[in-house]
Amino acid sequence: QPERGDARNLDFLSFGELKALLARIFRHAGASEAVAECLAANCAGCERDGARSHGVFRMPGYVSSIASGWVDAAASPRLEDVAPAFLRADAMNGFAQPALALAAPALIEKARRNGIALLAIRNSHHFSALWPDVEPFAEAGLVALTMVNSFACTVPFDGTSAVFGTNPIAFAAPRDGAPPLVADLATSAMANGDVQIAAREGFSLPPGQGVDQDGRPTIDPKAVLDGGALLTFGGYKGSAISLMIELLGAALTGGKFSYEVDWSGHPGAQTPHTGQVLILIDPDAGRDAAFAGRARALAERLGRVGVSRLPGDRRFRQRARSAAEGIGLVPADLARLRALAGP
Ligand code: NDP
Ligand code: PYC
């Protein structure tokens, strides 16, 4: 991902200042207070951690989706307790994160009681990174796994047109004496957000990420976005994982498959209306209370064989840097955000 550029040309905000600005934008766009606070914290957290593909660059997309009437930013999610280890949430055509926030206490309670618990969210829009959905659970000593399907922009291995979304999967596990291990990745060769950033900033894509509208390999991000598509990562292997995410994110939850998302009646809509599954495991339930210690041992072993970066490390480093120096924004981007927040 391209870096943001020379720090001397950036404006710096604290996390609190950025979150407050983003909350104002959400409220101005028509979000309820609860939704505005939840999504502002999420998006500001992405920017703070250097997760640029889902940071402030997404704000115009949130606003235009809300304005198009495609997503209800004032929706109140509903929770249903359907089995000892199974919760369902209907996001009521709102964002997925408020539904997860509503379900989290009961989900944790179920995971601690049963050793495992599953949350199936449907009728939901997810437009962000997944790590914010799993990391807090690992900080509380639980293992968390989540998957979201999105909108048809990824060609399945051996296929001729897009059926899958960029379908991310994220995993978080507690680790003794260190931040949790958190891996969060699209199952397409690249996240669509990074393709959009490359198009906006005039970068080519690495070879092998996508195809144009005629199915020919391309390194032009605009050709991928304008009628082309991404490939899955790792060929048929990524395609198999993406297939699983369609099934768990949509068939299991009652949400839409990525290819069923039809926003053609809502010009400006950008937020995929699909589903999300989240599985929580209490590692202590297996009577082996050493899980977090074992996670530490594995991480240390990886370090001894030369692995200098584990998933999540870069974000945690950037988070610390943002806490010390502030969150740097390009002045023109900050001006655009202030304009979106209204008078
Ligand atoms: P990346 O390829 O940037 O990173 C994937 C994972 O690998 C991260 O955990 C990252 O850690 C880690 N990683 C990256 N490089 C290295 C390295 N050199 N060594 C060790 N670990 C490494 O992510 P993607 O571009 O695939 O996805 C970006 C985001 O987009 C994700 O947050 C995802 O949830 C989101 N997304 C959301 C969608 C949605 O529908 N809502 C759809 C698709 C993607 P680290 O985080 O520390 O860099
Ligand atoms: O970056 O692929 C992506 C994406 C899709 C929906 C939200 N983010």
Side-chain angles (χ1 to χ4, degrees):
Q1 194 176 99
E3 289 301 322
R4 193 181 281 99
D6 191 335
R8 283 171 302 186
N9 301 327
L10 301 178
D11 288 335
F12 286 87
L13 276 70
S14 69
F15 176 75
E17 287 166 338
L18 181 58
K19 180 176 165 257
L21 173 59
L22 302 190
R24 268 176 51 209
I25 297 172
F26 279 114
R27 279 195 298 270
H28 186 63
S32 65
E33 190 59 34
V35 171
E37 286 298 314
C38 178
L39 291 183
N42 181 295
C43 188
C46 288
E47 193 67 33
R48 173 201 62 199
D49 281 19
R52 280 189 76 204
S53 64
H54 292 84
V56 298
F57 127 86
R58 290 282 177 178
M59 290 303 294
Y62 278 112
V63 169
S64 74
S65 251
I66 295 168
S68 77
W70 168 247
V71 56
D72 180 0
S76 295
R78 293 189 186 154
L79 195 58
E80 228 184 316
D81 189 339
V82 286
F86 204 127
L87 284 172
R88 293 178 84 205
D90 183 341
M92 305 295 289
N93 193 35
F95 290 101
Q97 292 89 348
L100 173 55
L102 174 73
L107 192 66
I108 291 172
E109 200 273 320
K110 278 183 179 301
R112 297 236 187 260
R113 181 149 29 98
N114 300 301
I116 189 163
L118 184 146
L119 171 65
I121 304 175
R122 68 185 185 285
N123 200 6
S124 54
H125 297 247
H126 204 301
F127 198 51
S128 185
L130 293 194
W131 63 261
D133 300 350
V134 288
E135 199 175 288
F137 293 115
E139 281 161 353
L142 298 163
V143 175
L145 179 68
T146 193
M147 292 162 239
V148 171
N149 64 316
S150 59
F151 66 99
C153 59
T154 306
V155 189
F157 184 78
D158 211 22
T160 53
S161 61
V163 175
F164 296 154
T166 45
N167 293 5
I169 178 167
F171 168 81
R175 170 171 46 151
D176 263 354
L181 291 165
V182 186
D184 176 16
L185 51 140
T187 52
S188 49
M190 283 179 80
N192 184 271
D194 277 336
V195 182
Q196 289 185 44
I197 290 174
R200 199 173 73 158
E201 298 184 358
F203 291 93
S204 296
L205 306 180
Q209 315 289 296
V211 291
D212 66 15
Q213 60 182 355
D214 300 317
R216 288 181 307 231
T218 182
I219 58 167
D220 177 358
K222 290 186 179 147
V224 170
L225 296 172
D226 299 339
L230 286 160
L231 304 176
T232 55
F233 84 94
Y236 64 88
K237 298 189 184 189
S239 201
I241 297 174
S242 195
L243 166 78
M244 174 186 75
I245 294 170
E246 289 291 338
L247 288 173
L248 296 183
L252 185 80
T253 63
K256 290 191 180 84
F257 286 124
S258 297
Y259 73 84
E260 292 172 325
V261 173
D262 178 8
W263 43 30
S264 55
H266 295 267
Q270 294 190 32
T271 57
H273 179 205
T274 55
Q276 175 172 14
V277 70
L278 193 144
I279 298 166
L280 268 195
I281 300 167
D282 179 357
D284 295 339
R287 304 275 179 265
D288 182 357
F291 180 93
R294 298 285 288 151
R296 177 187 187 151
L298 178 60
E300 286 173 353
R301 177 70 182 199
L302 292 169
R304 282 198 296 278
V305 303
V307 176
S308 61
R309 173 179 169 185
L310 291 173
D313 283 354
R314 180 198 58 84
R315 275 193 312 101
F316 290 127
R317 272 199 299 275
Q318 183 57 44
R319 188 179 300 179
R321 202 170 150 197
S322 294
E325 299 170 3
I327 303 169
L329 296 181
V330 173
D333 290 342
L334 182 55
R336 268 192 286 274
L337 290 177
R338 290 193 168 128
L340 280 179

